[in-house]
């Protein structure tokens, strides 16, 4: 029943992706990213996303530190970090994270500290959600790839 | 009392003696009283010439015509009445006077009588008293009271009745009456005098004729006064319509020219005859009428007159002529016409407006519905694909015959639903493209020809794709028409279940390669072919491809195209010459006509108009018999029109139909095509002989029907098998026994797969990557896999690669974020471009100092130095030739022979493209102000990047096409791969 497994995985992946799209967590940019993936770099998406998570975690940490630092209220740095986070999020198509970043930025511009704190909370939550979901997705894909290699040992239409 | 009476009479009668208005009943003229306005008329000078009267006739008229005589008699009556009135008044006065006289005489008599009686009574008195004597003494005994009466003057107190007996009283009385008599006589005399006077006056007063003529003259004067400037013509014509009288303010003819003549005799030109006819009609019918006539005059051009004609009756009631009055109303008519026209225009405008509003409303509604439809289709498709793929998997498992049959039904139904959804999706995409083209709508583009003109004007490969990118994208890629035809026919042949011959015929003058949206064209062809196959039960289905003349020749001189056609087939040999002759051949457009001919049931003539409408089939029973949604042709037509071409059909019932579409294609630059030939040759499935490339005839015969159902493998395997067989036939080899072919095929594949696993084991996933397959699989995608693999061992390819690298433009990416860098780099690789990456503005400046770039992609927000500043520094260098400003900003140039930099004159302006996220603060204006050339909004998409590179003429060396979902392509793609393997 290996074949069934592969199909199930594929369906799961599709379902998960469509869920994420439906919820607005991801947008078309993610599809672009998937299109960029080809045989020369089969793990392109997951690589990029991993780097994204790595970078974003740093930025989130920085943001939290900057916000918690009661003496120093550094808009500039907050803005830069947010810009970076926003840029990279939109590059991988993390729509919701990007939108929250925009809201965050607006709060920073208005010098509204409580709103900033709230935005950070939401951002962290959203980020975790995205991370979990994407991890799930990549996990399924990995399984599927593994399954694929097993599935048609001598199949006619595989090379 | 008598006095009072007289006074009353005077008050009552005298004023009425002098009637105030002798014309009280003569309202027709309403002339002012003479005297009050004498001055007014004196000031006015009359030109009486315009009136031309035939006096004889006037006399006659007054004698014979009812009106004339009544007029005359009226005047006489009026005068008579007036005189009678005066006489009556005088008589009354006389009567009064005589009455008074009689009264006075009576009084006199009375007085006399009284007087006599008094004398008698006096005489009869017992105590006669001589009045001559001092008899008063006698009456001393009389009541004393009486003695006291003092009569101060001769007036006596008549109230005292007790004194009536006195002589004094009677004396008084007589005296008084005498006085009254005197007064009365005096008055009588006055009245008599007055009577004489009045009689005298009466005698003096003018005769009726004189008065009449005076009145008439005054009326005449007034008429002249009123009419002197009126643009009217008044006239009278007799029974024969000869003029007897005419008043014309602008006389152009003399009396003798008019009087006694008819209209026709006097005037000539348009309208004269008509007006005379009208007058005659009035004369005959005896009823007045009004009508407008336009006279064509030599002097003034067309003049419109409003003419009122009234018949004149004799006393006997016969018509003896007409009076007519004309007024010039040319200006009014013109104005009226203008008004009417304006009103009409306004009405039309309003109608158009409402129509437009309605259309807009409908369009909006439709768009909303379309979007809804698209979303729904999308939503439906994902679960459905799950169902279908499950079923496919199920079919590979061990099943008995019944189950298999059920499953095959299930699969085919699933396929059908998917196809249907794809059709709907395509349609709504095309249509939303159609309606959301504000630019095109602005130009009121109705027919496709205009969009072609527009396209030429803009010199874009496909203008529509530029105008509404995002709705339905048309790709402009190089392709080989012959190959496309072949593939389409192959595909059709593979699933052919009828005894049909599929034929493709490509004329020699069709270029080897053209540029266009190959997937769309393929879709159209597939659609038409499947349609043709569906409705054809025996015979042939044929595709003919040939070049036609430009349907709307314009800026492209025709000889040029012909030249191209001649040169292109022998492209390689005359390449250099061609390039020299045609530096502009990049933009050469060739119109290719494609006929899809079948020998099927044909289309009844009545059904042809509705053929291209959505959900319409030739007839209800057709739909029942052949199935289908009726969307295919509508989609084809819309696609063809979207690409600037046209789709037509001609058909004869029971004999077959021919669908013809004409599309413009760009012919690629000869140089580039040679560059790519190897690429294409690689993906070309057969041996890359020149012959094959230009071979223009393909024929596919159906497989034996039996073999279709006798397969014992899986459906999918079988499918591939069949396909492979047909390829064999295509290549001209003899019919190979199916089993042996299958064996060969499997063997080859096995060995091949093993080999590949070692080198490219990880690549398999590309084919089954759901995102790839689901979202944008494409044929060329698969072909490239192959080409990549081959490139390693083909030496010529290596050379090409090297050549390309040296010519490849240098691009610099300035971006600080590692994720963005990765994505952008990856995209560039897809476009086969190399790219240097630096992380901030300062580094960018250094990089530009080091080396010449053809393009800089610059992020705006960066640490250390932002994109705007970096751009400013680079621009300053380009302007001044030195890096002084950069030095000031703290960016030291590397050790370069500075002279070398300065010597480079003129310095090229590097295109710098900003990459901005639109939500961020940096605006487009800011970018342009700092010297950037354009900008891409983040997130950067492949399409954006490609367009950008194209704009700066860095032609992306394309490997892949991303085109909207094409459901069937995944199958085709797999088949192609298999076929290649077989060849190897």
């Amino acid at each position: 029943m290996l074949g069934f497994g592969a199909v199930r995985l594929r369906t799961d992946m599709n379902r998960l992706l469509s869920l994420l799209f439906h919820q607005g967590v991801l947008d078309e940019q993610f599809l672009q990213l998937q299109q960029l993936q080809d045989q020369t770099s089969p793990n392109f998406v997951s690589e990029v996303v991993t780097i994204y998570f790595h970078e974003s975690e740093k930025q989130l940490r920085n943001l939290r530190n900057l916000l918690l630092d009661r003496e120093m209220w550094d808009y500039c740095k907050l803005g830069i970090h947010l810009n970076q986070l926003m840029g990279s999020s939109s590059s991988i198509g993390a729509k919701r994270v990007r939108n929250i970043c925009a809201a965050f930025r607006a709060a920073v511009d208005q010098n509204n500290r409580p709103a900033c704190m709230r935005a950070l909370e939401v951002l962290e939550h959203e980020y975790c959600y995205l991370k979990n979901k994407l991890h799930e997705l990549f996990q399924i894909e990995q399984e599927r790839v593994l399954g694929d290699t097993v599935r048609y040992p001598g199949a006619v239409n595989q090379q | 009392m008598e006095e009072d009476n007289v006074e009353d009479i005077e008050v009552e009668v005298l004023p009425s003696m002098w009637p105030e208005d002798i014309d009280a009943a003569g309202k027709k003229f309403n002339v002012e009283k003479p005297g009050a306005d004498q001055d007014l008329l004196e000031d006015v000078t009359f030109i009486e010439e315009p009136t031309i009267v035939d006096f004889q006739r006037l006399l006659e008229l007054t004698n014979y015509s009812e009106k004339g005589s009544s007029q005359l008699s009226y005047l006489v009556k009026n005068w008579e009445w007036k005189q009678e009135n005066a006489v009556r008044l005088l008589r009354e006065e006389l009567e009064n006077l005589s009455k008074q006289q009689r009264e006075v005489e009576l009084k006199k008599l009375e007085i006399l009588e009284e007087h006599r009686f008094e004398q008698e009574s006096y005489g009869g008195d017992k105590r006669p008293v001589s009045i001559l004597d001092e008899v008063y003494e006698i009456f001393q005994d009389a009541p004393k009271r009486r003695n006291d009466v003092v009569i101060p003057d001769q007036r006596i107190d008549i109230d005292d009745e007790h004194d009536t007996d006195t002589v004094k009283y009677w004396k008084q009385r007589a005296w008084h009456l005498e006085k009254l008599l005197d007064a009365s006589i005096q008055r009588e005399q006055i009245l008599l005098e007055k009577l004489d006077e009045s009689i005298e006056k009466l005698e003096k007063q003018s005769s009726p004729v004189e008065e009449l003529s005076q009145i008439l003259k005054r009326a005449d004067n007034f008429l002249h006064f009123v009419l002197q400037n009126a643009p009217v013509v008044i006239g009278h014509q007799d029974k024969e319509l000869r003029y007897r009288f005419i008043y014309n303010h602008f006389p152009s003819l003399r009396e003798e020219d008019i009087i006694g003549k008819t209209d026709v005799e006097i005037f000539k030109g348009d309208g004269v005859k008509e007006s005379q006819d009208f007058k005659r009609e009035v004369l005959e019918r005896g009823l007045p009428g009004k009508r407008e006539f336009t006279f064509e005059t030599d002097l003034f051009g067309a003049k419109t007159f409003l003419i009122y004609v009234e018949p004149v009756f004799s006393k006997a009631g016969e018509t003896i002529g007409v009076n007519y009055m004309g007024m010039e109303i040319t200006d009014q008519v013109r104005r009226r016409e203008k008004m009417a026209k304006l009103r009409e225009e306004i009405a039309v405008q309003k109608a158009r407006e409402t129509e437009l509003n309605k259309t807009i409303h409908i369009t909006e509604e439709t768009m909303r519905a379309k979007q809804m439809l698209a979303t729904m289709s999308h939503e439906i498709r994902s679960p459905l694909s799950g169902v279908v793929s499950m079923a496919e998997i199920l079919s590979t498992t061990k099943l008995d015959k019944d189950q298999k049959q059920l499953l095959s039904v299930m699969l085919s139904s699933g396929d059908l639903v998917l196809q249907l959804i794809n059709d709907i999706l395509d349609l709504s995409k095309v249509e939303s493209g159609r309606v959301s083209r504000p630019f095109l709508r602005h130009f009121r583009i109705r027919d496709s020809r205009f969009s072609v003109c527009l396209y030429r004007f803009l010199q874009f490969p496909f203008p529509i794709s530029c105008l509404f990118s995002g709705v339905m994208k048309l790709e402009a890629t190089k392709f080989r028409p012959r190959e496309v035809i072949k593939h389409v026919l192959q595909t059709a042949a593979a699933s052919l279940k009828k005894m049909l011959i599929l034929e493709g015929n490509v004329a020699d003058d069709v270029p080897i390669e053209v540029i266009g949206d190959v997937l769309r064209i393929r879709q159209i062809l597939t659609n038409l072919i499947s349609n043709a196959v569906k409705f054809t039960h025996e015979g042939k289905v044929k595709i003919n491809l040939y070049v036609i003349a430009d349907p709307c020749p314009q800026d492209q001189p025709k000889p040029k195209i012909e030249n191209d056609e001649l040169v292109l087939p022998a492209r390689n040999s005359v390449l250099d010459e061609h390039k020299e002759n045609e530096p502009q051949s990049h933009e050469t457009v060739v119109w290719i006509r494609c006929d899809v001919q079948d020998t099927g049931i044909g289309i009844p003539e009545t059904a042809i108009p509705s053929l291209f409408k959505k959900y319409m089939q030739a007839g209800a029973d057709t739909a029942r018999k052949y199935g289908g949604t009726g969307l295919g042709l509508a989609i084809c037509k819309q696609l063809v029109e979207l690409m600037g071409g046209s789709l037509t059909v001609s058909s004869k019932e029971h004999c077959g139909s021919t669908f013809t579409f004409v599309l413009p294609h760009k012919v690629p630059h000869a140089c580039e095509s040679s560059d790519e030939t190897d690429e294409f040759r690689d993906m070309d499935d057969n041996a890359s002989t020149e012959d094959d490339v230009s071979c223009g005839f393909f024929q596919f015969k159906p497989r034996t029907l039996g073999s279709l159902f006798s397969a014992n493998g899986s459906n999918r395997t079988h499918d591939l098998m069949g396909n492979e067989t047909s390829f064999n036939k295509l290549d001209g080899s003899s019919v190979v026994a199916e089993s042996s072919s299958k064996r060969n095929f499997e063997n080859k594949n096995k060995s091949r797969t093993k080999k590949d696993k070692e080198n490219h084991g990880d690549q398999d996933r590309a084919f089954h990557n759901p995102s790839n397959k689901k979202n944008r699989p494409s044929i060329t995608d698969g072909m490239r896999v192959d080409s990549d693999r081959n490139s390693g061992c083909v030496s010529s390819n290596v050379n090409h690669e090297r050549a390309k690298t040296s010519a490849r433009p240098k691009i610099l990416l300035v971006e600080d974020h590692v994720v963005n860098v990765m994505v952008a780099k990856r995209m560039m690789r897809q476009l086969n471009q190399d790219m240097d990456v630096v992380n901030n503005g300062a580094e960018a400046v250094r990089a530009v100092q080091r080396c010449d770039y053809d393009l800089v992609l610059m992020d705006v927000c960066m640490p250390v130095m932002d994109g705007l500043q970096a751009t400013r520094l680079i621009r300053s260098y380009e302007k001044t030739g030195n890096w002084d400003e950069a030095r000031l900003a703290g960016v030291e140039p590397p050790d370069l022979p500075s002279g070398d930099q300065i010597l480079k004159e003129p310095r090229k302006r590097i295109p710098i493209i900003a990459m901005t996220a639109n939500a961020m603060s940096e605006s487009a204006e800011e970018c342009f102000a700092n010297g950037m050339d354009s900008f891409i909004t983040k997130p950067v998409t492949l399409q954006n990047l490609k367009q950008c590179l194209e704009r700066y003429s860095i032609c992306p060396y394309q490997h892949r096409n991303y085109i909207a979902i094409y459901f069937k392509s995944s199958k085709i793609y797999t088949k192609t791969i298999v076929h290649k393997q077989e060849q190897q």
Side-chain angles (χ1 to χ4, degrees), chain B residues 409-623:
Chain B
V409 172
M410 183 172 156
L411 266 175
S412 64
S413 317
D415 263 359
L416 204 70
V417 176
L418 267 179
Q419 182 64 54
L420 172 59
I421 290 169
N422 281 333
D423 279 359
I424 293 170
L425 208 61
D426 268 353
L427 188 72
S428 55
K429 268 185 191 160
V430 175
E431 292 220 326
S432 55
R434 195 156 283 258
V435 288
S436 66
R437 265 185 285 169
F439 183 52
L440 290 186
R441 195 165 56 187
H442 180 71
F443 281 103
R444 291 167 155 271
I445 293 171
R446 284 280 154 75
D447 60 344
S448 51
R449 281 186 174 192
F450 189 87
S451 66
V452 174
C453 301
L454 194 73
Y455 135 53
R456 294 189 154 177
F457 172 66
L458 294 171
Q459 294 294 318
F460 270 62
F462 274 104
I464 294 153
S465 67
C466 309
L467 291 173
F468 60 107
S469 52
V471 185
M472 173 170 252
K473 295 217 169 84
L474 289 175
E475 297 281 324
T477 46
K478 267 178 234 166
F479 69 95
R480 296 181 171 182
R482 285 174 186 77
E483 251 164 53
V484 171
I485 300 284
K486 201 162 95 184
H487 282 202
V488 168
L489 288 175
Q490 273 174 4
T491 318
S495 55
L496 202 60
K497 292 173 188 173
K498 293 176 188 169
M499 294 303 287
L500 290 177
I501 296 170
L502 302 185
E503 236 178 63
N505 216 332
V506 183
D508 288 341
D509 55 359
V510 174
I512 305 281
E513 285 174 14
V514 294
I515 294 175
D517 188 340
V518 61
L519 264 200
R520 297 276 151 221
I521 291 165
R522 196 188 280 264
Q523 188 180 358
I524 294 162
L525 274 172
T526 312
N527 242 325
L528 291 178
I529 287 283
S530 65
N531 228 29
V533 167
K534 193 155 106 184
F535 295 110
T536 307
H537 303 299
E538 54 181 356
K540 270 185 189 174
V541 173
K542 240 165 101 176
I543 302 181
N544 290 331
L545 207 66
Y546 45 94
V547 172
I548 55 157
D550 194 343
C552 53
Q554 229 187 359
D555 46 354
Q556 302 276 345
K558 246 173 101 182
K560 200 168 163 186
I561 293 172
E562 281 167 8
N563 190 13
D564 261 352
E565 285 161 9
L566 287 171
V567 168
L568 270 163
R571 169 172 41 90
N572 285 341
S573 56
V574 286
L575 178 69
D576 290 336
E577 185 196 326
H578 179 72
K579 198 180 169 186
E580 274 167 29
N581 288 350
E582 305 269 337
Q584 297 291 311
S585 66
H586 210 53
E587 288 154 17
T588 309
V589 168
V590 73
W591 288 78
I592 296 178
R593 175 177 156 141
C594 181
D595 294 335
V596 179
Q597 233 172 343
D598 65 52
T599 55
I601 58 166
I603 305 155
E605 202 141 303
T606 47
I608 287 182
S610 61
L611 200 63
F612 294 112
K613 282 184 190 150
K614 275 163 279 169
Y615 310 105
M616 285 287 241
Q617 284 191 331
D621 47 332
T622 321

Side-chain angles (χ1 to χ4, degrees), chain B residues 880-930:
Chain B
T880 60
N882 58 56
W883 289 103
D884 292 348
E885 217 168 304
R887 258 183 222 103
L888 283 176
V891 186
E892 277 295 321
D895 319 320
L896 279 168
S898 57
D900 188 37
Q901 288 283 335
I902 294 159
L903 277 174
K904 276 188 184 170
E905 286 289 352
R907 275 169 299 275
K908 200 178 68 187
R909 185 186 160 95
I910 307 171
I912 299 179
I913 295 159
M915 299 201 297
T916 69
N918 40 3
M920 295 187 188
S921 56
E922 63 265 17
S923 62
E925 286 87 47
E926 214 179 336
C927 293
F928 292 133
N930 280 288

Side-chain angles (χ1 to χ4, degrees), chain A residues 108-126:
Chain A
V108 171
D109 287 342
Q110 286 165 9
N111 197 6
N112 188 345
R113 200 165 183 143
C116 285
M117 288 309 288
R118 267 201 305 279
L120 184 65
E121 295 283 318
V122 178
L123 189 60
E124 277 172 345
H125 171 261
E126 211 39 70

Side-chain angles (χ1 to χ4, degrees), chain A residues 3-4 7 10 13-14 29 31-42 44 47-48 51-52 55 59 83-84 86-88 90-92 98 105 141 144-145 148 151 154-159, chain B residues 389-390 393 717 746 749 753 756 762-771 774-776 784-785 789 816-820 822-823 826-827 829-830 861 919-921 939-942 960 962 977 981:
Chain A
F4 257 110
V7 172
R10 203 166 66 182
M13 244 178 92
N14 286 344
Q29 190 64 22
L31 293 183
Q32 283 263 334
L33 216 59
Q34 287 193 323
Q35 283 161 22
L36 288 175
Q37 175 167 295
D38 60 17
Q39 50 284 106
T40 53
S41 59
F44 177 68
E47 275 167 26
V48 170
I51 292 171
Y52 166 75
E55 292 284 313
Q59 266 146 7
N83 268 354
Q84 285 198 339
M86 193 143 68
S88 53
S90 63
S91 272
I92 68 149
R98 191 193 156 279
R105 232 182 98 108
E141 190 175 355
R144 197 187 51 76
V145 170
D148 264 2
R151 190 190 156 206
V156 280
N157 55 351
Q158 296 296 305
Q159 298 172 40
Chain B
S389 40
M390 276 297 205
I393 297 302
T717 326
E746 276 176 359
N749 261 305
T753 317
D756 280 346
D762 52 344
Q763 284 170 8
D764 289 350
R765 65 191 295 284
F767 298 127
H768 275 268
N769 183 340
S771 64
K774 196 177 174 223
N775 294 313
R776 262 123 237 239
R784 198 179 91 80
V785 180
R789 268 173 214 164
D816 60 323
H817 202 280
V818 63
V819 172
N820 294 350
M822 260 188 98
V823 173
R826 188 75 212 172
M827 285 177 174
R829 228 175 78 199
Q830 292 283 345
C861 273
M920 295 187 188
S921 56
V940 180
T941 61
L942 195 65
R960 298 170 61 159
Y962 293 95
I977 300 289
Q981 287 165 358

Side-chain angles (χ1 to χ4, degrees), chain B residues 938-980:
Chain B
K938 274 184 185 175
V940 180
T941 61
L942 195 65
Q943 193 64 34
N944 277 346
L945 207 56
K946 208 173 103 189
Q947 274 172 6
C948 185
L949 293 187
E950 272 166 3
R951 177 125 61 107
Y952 291 97
S953 59
I954 296 162
C955 239
Y957 192 74
Q958 196 160 1
H959 280 235
R960 298 170 61 159
N961 303 303
Y962 293 95
I963 303 164
I965 303 142
Y966 185 64
F967 175 71
K968 287 287 183 193
S969 60
S970 61
K971 246 182 203 169
I972 294 166
Y973 143 89
T974 331
K975 282 171 196 162
T976 320
I977 300 289
V978 171
H979 180 62
K980 273 180 215 155

